[in-house]
Amino acid sequence: MFPNLALAYLFLYICIALVVVGVILLFAMKMSHNGKQRKMAWYESKQRDYFTYLQTALTENRQLKLPPGKLAPLERRVIQNKLIEWIDQFKGEYRDKLIALCRESGFVEHDLKELGRLRYGRQIDAAYRLGGMRCPEAVPGLMELLKDEKPGPMAIMIARSIARSTVRQGELKEMLEVLLTKGKSIHHLAADILLETSMDTSKMLIELLEDPNPDFVKVGLVAMWGQAVPEVMPALHKLVGAEQRDVRAEAVKLYLSASPALRDETILKLMQDADPEVRAEVAQALGSKHASGSIPLLRKALRDEDWRVRYNTAESLAKLGEPGFEALCQAAVQGTSVEREIAMQQIESTMQHTGTDHRAVEQMIAHNKKRLLYDRYFGSPIDHRTSKKRTGVATVGGDYTA
């Protein structure tokens, strides 16, 4: 019994000793980190005049140089961090000058060596800095690091560094292929990383949209938002009829937002799509594009089984002036229960909205025309203060089974 008790006490003392050592190490690491931060802040204050010189020299036709004299390693790191910060902010000639200074100062060469080290932490730090300095020769090493990296924030950072550094379209696509294996729902993030490149992305977008790999297509579609690339419109038009539901829906959204005019056969085909998301997008686009010729089609869409389609359809009809508003009134009086509900809801919303702002003459005229239509169908002006039920007219939340 006593030997077992002694062994238990020994184990307890060892555990206490390990805890004490761990606390001491954590405290020492914290003190070291705080000391390093204070020293970096001091170096940044020391080099304030040098940073002012750089900002002035950027606008002049002269070569940038490091401060005179020998710099401490931490002091060089402070200067490098500031250069990387400015490289992200500036473009064109200013950025090129800062990148050249990073090379001439030995920052690029040092981090290329760090990227080949065995210590993971030093590799990651070097990968971030090399991407910040737009270093093309670092791409092969970064690619190998990305392939070995587990899914997570570090993989995203390495991929972003590759996109910033590469000058070859093949390397950019290879990076996307590896990155897309790091997560299932990463297409929006991959598109954001793709647009970090300094290369012209128009050819790349066309290649992605025409690729048989649906993941590449999804990245290309997301990257298209906010990009004015007329060359991709033929490829985008083909994707409107894609088999994959999510690809087709995203392609339709882009196609509707980019196409200034839609042909009748295209509108009819899209409004008959099996995907309610596609039908809802088309219904919304028809109002935004002021396609008054589509009022009969929108009138029919008020009976759609999907509530999003009905809601967008009612909103679009309200945007199509007097003819669209009259179609809503007809639906509220003569339509089925679902038509009457959404139509009356939109009518009351439209009347309340247009009745609150009479700053422009055109708005007053449009409002008065709608009020006349409202009076013709419902008998009296809408009361903005209270929602009164009217005999024979469906109101929101009423009984439409009779």
Side-chain angles (χ1 to χ4, degrees):
M1 177 179 178
F2 290 105
N4 292 337
L5 186 61
L7 186 62
Y9 276 121
L10 178 61
F11 178 75
L12 182 61
Y13 292 148
I14 292 174
C15 290
I16 293 173
L18 289 174
V19 170
V20 172
V21 170
V23 171
I24 294 173
L25 285 175
L26 286 174
F27 183 76
M29 290 171 63
K30 180 68 174 178
M31 292 294 293
S32 175
H33 175 75
N34 290 342
K36 184 178 178 180
Q37 293 298 114
R38 285 194 297 269
K39 205 164 188 179
M40 290 182 72
W42 183 80
Y43 280 133
E44 187 167 356
S45 177
K46 176 187 174 183
Q47 297 298 338
R48 189 172 298 164
D49 291 340
Y50 171 68
F51 294 144
T52 303
Y53 147 77
L54 280 182
Q55 290 175 312
T56 304
L58 279 174
T59 61
E60 301 174 356
N61 189 19
R62 54 174 167 162
Q63 186 179 7
L64 303 180
K65 296 181 180 180
L66 281 181
K70 187 176 180 180
L71 300 174
L74 196 58
E75 191 172 9
R76 287 174 59 87
R77 180 59 49 80
V78 168
I79 294 175
Q80 184 184 13
N81 289 344
K82 180 61 71 173
L83 294 178
I84 291 174
E85 178 186 337
W86 286 349
I87 288 172
D88 286 339
Q89 294 176 359
F90 299 151
K91 294 184 182 297
E93 183 183 357
Y94 293 168
R95 174 182 285 183
D96 294 339
K97 283 186 176 182
L98 293 169
I99 293 174
L101 177 59
C102 287
R103 290 186 173 278
E104 293 166 7
S105 305
F107 295 144
V108 170
E109 182 181 0
H110 176 267
D111 280 325
L112 284 173
K113 292 179 181 178
E114 290 290 293
L115 189 63
R117 303 286 186 187
L118 294 178
R119 289 182 58 183
Y120 175 75
R122 297 174 73 171
Q123 286 181 322
I124 291 296
D125 290 342
Y128 171 77
R129 293 192 294 268
L130 288 167
M133 294 184 292
R134 274 58 173 179
C135 178
E137 56 266 42
V139 172
L142 292 171
M143 198 74 72
E144 292 301 318
L145 192 61
L146 178 62
K147 291 177 181 178
D148 296 335
E149 185 63 38
K150 297 178 181 179
M154 292 300 103
I156 302 301
M157 183 274 294
I158 297 169
R160 197 177 296 276
S161 291
I162 294 174
R164 290 177 169 183
S165 302
T166 186
V167 293
R168 298 174 183 173
Q169 186 169 308
E171 290 177 338
L172 195 60
K173 191 171 182 181
E174 183 183 357
M175 178 274 293
L176 280 177
E177 187 174 6
V178 177
L179 180 62
L180 289 171
T181 64
K182 305 297 181 180
K184 294 182 179 180
S185 303
I186 203 173
H187 302 95
H188 284 75
L189 193 52
D192 180 63
I193 292 173
L194 174 68
L195 297 177
E196 290 273 354
T197 183
S198 59
M199 297 186 297
D200 181 15
T201 57
S202 58
K203 293 182 179 179
M204 184 68 179
L205 288 175
I206 295 174
E207 186 175 340
L208 290 176
L209 293 178
E210 294 178 345
D211 198 281
N213 186 344
D215 286 326
F216 282 160
V217 175
K218 292 175 185 177
V219 172
L221 288 171
V222 176
M224 274 287 297
W225 285 105
Q227 302 290 314
V229 188
E231 295 88 350
V232 305
M233 289 306 296
L236 187 61
H237 181 70
K238 293 180 182 178
L239 291 174
V240 169
E243 293 182 3
Q244 295 86 358
R245 179 176 175 178
D246 50 351
V247 170
R248 187 171 69 254
E250 197 67 30
V252 167
K253 292 178 186 178
L254 267 172
Y255 183 77
L256 293 173
S257 65
S259 180
L262 298 173
R263 286 182 281 183
D264 292 343
E265 56 269 23
T266 303
I267 296 174
L268 184 60
K269 179 181 178 182
L270 293 176
M271 283 299 289
Q272 295 174 347
D273 195 277
D275 188 354
E277 186 176 358
V278 171
R279 301 197 303 273
E281 288 294 330
V282 178
Q284 186 179 44
L286 292 177
S288 302
K289 294 180 181 296
H290 302 287
S292 56
S294 300
I295 289 178
L297 187 62
L298 289 171
R299 176 70 174 79
K300 183 179 179 182
L302 283 174
R303 297 192 296 269
D304 196 279
E305 59 183 12
D306 188 84
W307 70 269
R308 292 170 298 179
V309 181
R310 299 195 301 270
Y311 181 84
N312 288 355
T313 298
E315 281 200 330
S316 290
L317 285 171
K319 294 177 182 178
L320 295 179
E322 189 177 349
F325 187 78
E326 185 168 9
L328 283 173
C329 293
Q330 291 173 354
V333 174
Q334 304 168 1
T336 62
S337 59
V338 291
E339 288 181 89
R340 284 182 284 163
E341 179 178 1
I342 193 64
M344 200 63 205
Q345 180 182 351
Q346 185 60 52
I347 288 169
E348 295 192 353
S349 174
T350 300
M351 292 299 294
Q352 290 171 2
H353 176 73
T354 55
T356 57
D357 189 0
H358 289 167
R359 288 175 295 180
V361 176
E362 293 81 1
Q363 291 177 339
M364 291 180 64
I365 294 174
H367 175 71
N368 289 335
K369 288 181 178 179
K370 290 178 181 178
R371 180 175 290 278
L372 289 173
L373 282 172
Y374 187 92
D375 294 347
R376 185 193 308 169
Y377 280 91
F378 306 117
S380 62
I382 188 169
D383 189 343
H384 301 308
R385 294 165 298 178
T386 58
S387 179
K388 299 180 180 179
K389 294 184 179 180
R390 299 172 177 83
T391 305
V393 179
T395 57
V396 179
D399 183 8
Y400 312 114
T401 57

